[in-house]
Amino acid sequence: MLAMADNLRLAMGTFLGNPLRTLLTLLGIVIGVTTVIVMMALIEGLRLKVNNDLSQLGANTFEVSKWPSGFGRVNWRMYAKRKNLTLEDMRAIQEFCPSVGVVSSSDTSGGQKISSSTIETRPGVQVTGATSEYINTSGITVATGRFFSPVEAVDGRQVAVVGLDVADTLFPGMEPLGQQLRIKGRPFTVVGVLQRRGSFLGMVSMDNVLIVPMRSYEMVYGEVDSVEVAVQAREPELLDKAKEEVTNLMRRRRDVAPLAPNDFEVHTNESMTQTFNSLSQVITIASFGVCLLSLVVGGIGILNIMLVSVTERTKEIGIRKALGARKFRILAQFATEAVLMSLLGGAIGVGLGFGLAFLSRWMLGFNTVVPGWAVALSLVMSSGVGLVFGIYPAARAARLDPVEAMRSE
């Protein structure tokens, strides 16, 4: 115990005697650990944000789509060859699937400009055409006013429900209900304002939206090629049964062979979360690759500086061995110095990582969370690098002949 304390004291004395050299030596380790901490904080924060945002997309609900989820690399040309989903598919699901409670369909055009009599929004509004049941399957809530009725949806009335971002932009300081806005020159009357929902993944505002009846939407944008069909089970325990019924029905309607894969997608909160988690695993592996490369660079720096240190302190080593210090004691002294140096770099990297994670939280708009395992693993890895790259200089110091060492200048 006293030997360990003595080794730590000697190591700290060496660091304090050459602080600049020590810090420059540790740059690789600091960069590697900082990278891991920041990336793990972002991924964990995004994971929690995704789970929270997806939980708002509607309870007991899943979606049938021609397209896969947008996470990761997608061959869109391949999926474009699939048959379109239609309103007839939606009606068939409602009629022939007994476990299904509510079904809606929708289509969205992003990046749209909306105007009032005096103001025009930036081209970033998401305009959605939907059936009247959309209010039950999308997880949205009307804060003031109402959602459009089934009669308005069937007749294609020019009414609109707007998000708070759109309402605040077009009608500042005014009551938006009853006001008129224009979509590509066509007038629509605001009948409802949605409750604030915040942003998805901290980047895309879910309040910069506008919802109109599907028929009215087609008057503006033309006939929809393929709709998104949202399905809500009658009861939470019937969700899996409803998915099975809908999948079987859609396979029959689309003439999918018995052993062939589905030519449509069934999206649930769980499936989208799993897709995101798969993507995050790739990012995690890449982050650790960058960290490992930086740690190797830092380890080479430690190896170099420890060899220099052994050379500079050859006479000191000779004196200590002449006074009775054993080889193991010399080995432990220099190995402790290398491990402590790399651990110091890891600690600095953890501190910088926490700081950058906090700044990312402020800049990106969602909470970043540093998992405890990432901190522990970073410190263990940095310490291991110090031990691996420091053992050779330590062994070299331990093998020095005391007489020859004392003669050195």
Side-chain angles (χ1 to χ4, degrees):
M1 194 70 180
L2 290 175
M4 177 59 70
D6 189 42
N7 288 337
L8 291 174
R9 181 181 59 79
L10 290 172
M12 291 304 299
T14 302
F15 300 159
L16 295 175
N18 300 280
L20 182 59
R21 186 172 73 177
T22 301
L23 288 176
L24 291 175
T25 302
L26 298 178
L27 275 181
I29 291 176
V30 170
I31 292 171
V33 171
T34 301
T35 300
V36 169
I37 296 298
V38 172
M39 292 305 299
M40 293 306 101
L42 291 175
I43 290 172
E44 184 67 12
L46 275 175
R47 186 185 67 79
L48 295 175
K49 179 67 175 172
V50 166
N51 290 338
N52 180 65
D53 289 345
L54 290 178
S55 68
Q56 301 178 31
L57 297 183
N60 315 323
T61 302
F62 60 94
E63 189 175 81
V64 184
S65 175
K66 173 181 176 179
W67 308 100
S69 62
F71 292 127
R73 181 178 296 178
V74 178
N75 185 354
W76 296 108
R77 289 185 179 181
M78 180 182 72
Y79 293 103
K81 298 176 182 178
R82 289 176 167 181
K83 294 179 181 178
N84 293 326
L85 269 71
T86 65
L87 293 174
E88 285 70 28
D89 291 323
M90 181 199 77
R91 298 186 185 104
I93 291 172
Q94 184 72 76
E95 182 176 357
F96 297 112
C97 297
S99 299
V100 169
V102 181
V103 187
S104 72
S105 65
S106 63
D107 185 64
T108 299
S109 293
Q112 302 299 307
K113 288 184 179 181
I114 310 299
S115 62
S116 64
S117 57
T118 58
I119 301 173
E120 185 176 68
T121 67
R122 294 181 177 180
V125 179
Q126 297 239 345
V127 179
T128 297
T131 58
S132 59
E133 296 83 5
Y134 185 76
I135 183 67
N136 300 310
T137 61
S138 60
I140 61 175
T141 303
V142 176
T144 58
R146 60 180 176 82
F147 202 72
F148 48 81
S149 67
V151 173
E152 290 172 322
V154 171
D155 291 346
R157 304 272 180 87
Q158 290 179 297
V159 293
V161 180
V162 299
L164 278 172
D165 287 354
V166 176
D168 292 342
T169 300
L170 295 181
F171 313 110
M174 302 169 58
E175 171 56 59
L177 295 180
Q179 300 288 342
Q180 276 205 344
L181 53 82
R182 290 184 175 273
I183 308 173
K184 290 195 171 183
R186 290 182 178 268
F188 284 77
T189 301
V190 177
V191 296
V193 180
L194 298 175
Q195 191 173 70
R196 186 174 296 281
R197 303 178 73 198
S199 60
F200 185 72
L201 301 183
M203 293 173 281
V204 180
S205 174
M206 294 191 288
D207 299 310
N208 199 25
V209 298
L210 186 150
I211 308 169
V212 299
M214 179 65 80
R215 285 197 173 182
S216 306
Y217 178 86
E218 291 182 323
M219 292 177 190
V220 177
Y221 295 102
E223 186 175 352
V224 174
D225 291 328
S226 185
V227 298
E228 306 290 322
V229 179
V231 183
Q232 186 178 62
R234 290 187 179 279
E235 301 292 341
E237 57 270 18
L238 294 177
L239 180 61
D240 291 336
K241 182 67 174 175
K243 284 194 292 185
E244 181 181 353
E245 292 172 357
V246 170
T247 299
N248 292 336
L249 175 65
M250 293 301 297
R251 288 179 64 89
R252 291 196 302 271
R253 287 181 60 84
R254 297 165 73 87
D255 297 321
V256 179
L259 298 179
N262 294 338
D263 66 344
F264 57 92
E265 303 291 326
V266 178
H267 301 305
T268 62
N269 293 352
E270 181 181 5
S271 66
M272 285 188 280
T273 299
Q274 288 175 348
T275 303
F276 174 79
N277 288 340
S278 298
L279 179 62
S280 68
Q281 287 175 2
V282 175
I283 298 174
T284 300
I285 293 171
S287 299
F288 275 103
V290 173
C291 173
L292 185 60
L293 181 61
S294 298
L295 289 177
V296 169
V297 172
I300 293 172
I302 289 175
L303 173 63
N304 180 61
I305 204 66
M306 290 304 297
L307 287 172
V308 172
S309 180
V310 170
T311 302
E312 290 177 344
R313 296 156 64 186
T314 300
K315 191 170 184 177
E316 172 195 329
I317 296 168
I319 294 172
R320 293 193 66 191
K321 296 189 77 172
L323 293 175
R326 295 179 179 274
K327 286 184 177 181
F328 179 77
R329 181 69 181 274
I330 302 297
L331 178 72
Q333 175 190 341
F334 282 89
T336 300
E337 193 171 306
V339 171
L340 192 60
M341 184 184 298
S342 59
L343 186 59
L344 176 62
I348 294 173
V350 168
L352 286 175
F354 269 92
L356 291 175
F358 179 80
L359 288 177
S360 299
R361 176 188 306 182
W362 174 71
M363 293 171 63
L364 298 176
F366 64 88
N367 287 333
T368 51
V369 181
V370 180
W373 64 264
V375 176
L377 184 59
S378 297
L379 294 177
V380 169
M381 288 175 65
S382 60
S383 301
V385 165
L387 182 60
V388 169
F389 285 89
I391 198 69
Y392 171 70
R396 182 173 174 178
R399 288 198 303 266
L400 286 175
D401 181 83
V403 176
E404 294 297 325
M406 291 176 64
R407 287 177 180 173
S408 68
E409 293 294 335

